[in-house]
Amino acid sequence: MTEIEFLDKIWKHQAKCKQLSEGDGGYNIRRGQAKVSSGYIEDVFALYLASRINNHKLEFLIDKLTSLRFSPKGRATTFKPDLSILNSEDVMTEYYDLKTNLGWNREIENYIKKKDDFIQKIKGRKGWIYFSKEEIKEIIFSENLKYKMVVVHGGNINENQLKINIEKVKEYKNVELYILYDHYNNRINTEHFDMLYKYEEITKF
């Protein structure tokens, strides 16, 4: 799947989300807010990365609850990446959070600071992922793990504020921001697509 195909799939799906799922049946039915497209975007993003990395030893987990304890008798802390990647040694090397745009949080400093602190705390620790009573996978969080916020397109936010947010993220060592489509210059950010992962880090174990 190419970058153009990836974005085209999302845009076509978002257009469908504005329509009635089963039509109006000849009645006066009109939809206001579009249906949520986040689940579809997560699925397509996972497929895009999997096809691009092309390594069947990796495990791609979408919206999967992930847990750890910071002390032996402490309560479990649970979080849910939109997409995480486990390598063949069950090391979580990638943690992605997908956003359609940045309009939801135009000034993101407090948000990314919390993410930066959290990633710093879990790096190198052991955790687990619950699939069922019969399958609980023990994992390790990579020492190089980062919180990667992937924004499909940079619209729905003032261009100047967007630039401020991009620069602000650079101040944090455990957080990265990728904007896949440059709304203001009407171009695909191929350089951001290329930076989404480091193949050597994912496959070195």
Side-chain angles (χ1 to χ4, degrees):
M1 186 188 303
T2 67
E3 292 78 15
I4 294 175
E5 289 171 336
F6 167 76
L7 290 171
D8 189 55
K9 286 178 182 294
I10 290 175
W11 290 332
K12 286 181 178 178
H13 182 78
Q14 288 178 328
K16 289 182 180 178
C17 287
K18 296 177 182 179
Q19 303 170 2
L20 296 171
S21 298
E22 299 296 334
D24 61 15
Y27 301 98
N28 189 23
I29 305 173
R30 300 167 65 182
R31 164 169 282 280
Q33 184 175 351
K35 296 184 288 291
V36 175
S37 60
S38 57
Y40 178 84
I41 293 173
E42 292 164 357
D43 291 351
V44 175
F45 181 72
L47 181 59
Y48 165 78
L49 277 186
S51 62
R52 178 162 176 168
I53 297 170
N54 192 28
N55 186 325
H56 291 275
K57 294 181 180 180
L58 303 179
E59 192 167 3
F60 295 78
L61 302 178
I62 301 170
D63 266 347
K64 196 64 188 167
L65 286 174
T66 305
S67 305
L68 76 157
R69 286 190 175 90
F70 292 107
S71 62
K73 295 184 180 180
R75 296 182 63 180
T77 295
T78 299
F79 64 103
K80 188 170 62 172
D82 287 339
L83 175 66
S84 59
I85 301 179
L86 304 181
N87 66 19
S88 59
E89 298 294 322
D90 291 331
V91 176
M92 182 181 288
T93 62
E94 306 296 319
Y95 173 179
Y96 298 98
D97 190 5
L98 297 169
K99 309 292 183 186
T100 54
N101 57 61
L102 283 176
W104 58 278
N105 194 345
R106 290 176 171 81
E107 297 180 12
I108 62 173
E109 184 171 7
N110 289 336
Y111 179 83
I112 59 175
K113 184 181 186 307
K114 290 179 181 178
K115 294 297 184 182
D116 183 79
D117 292 343
F118 180 69
I119 295 296
Q120 187 62 38
K121 289 179 181 178
I122 70 173
K123 288 195 298 186
R125 290 184 178 270
K126 295 181 179 180
W128 70 91
I129 297 175
Y130 180 93
F131 292 91
S132 67
K133 291 181 179 180
E134 294 75 29
E135 185 183 4
I136 300 175
K137 184 187 289 289
E138 294 184 356
I139 66 170
I140 298 174
F141 300 101
S142 171
E143 291 282 2
N144 298 316
L145 188 67
K146 293 181 183 294
Y147 170 79
K148 298 183 177 182
M149 184 188 298
V150 181
V151 181
V152 176
H153 46 82
N156 202 23
I157 184 174
N158 176 274
E159 185 175 8
N160 185 60
Q161 186 61 54
L162 177 61
K163 291 178 180 178
I164 292 173
N165 287 347
I166 291 172
E167 291 303 312
K168 184 60 64 176
V169 169
K170 293 177 182 179
E171 299 176 9
Y172 295 87
K173 66 179 181 179
N174 298 314
V175 178
E176 295 178 351
L177 172 63
Y178 302 99
I179 298 175
L180 303 183
Y181 186 81
D182 183 347
H183 173 81
Y184 293 102
N185 294 298
N186 195 30
R187 59 179 288 271
I188 297 174
N189 272 337
T190 53
E191 60 273 25
H192 280 208
F193 273 100
D194 291 338
M195 294 164 59
L196 283 172
Y197 66 93
K198 295 180 176 64
Y199 186 82
E200 296 79 7
E201 174 63 25
I202 293 177
T203 60
K204 71 179 182 180
F205 291 93

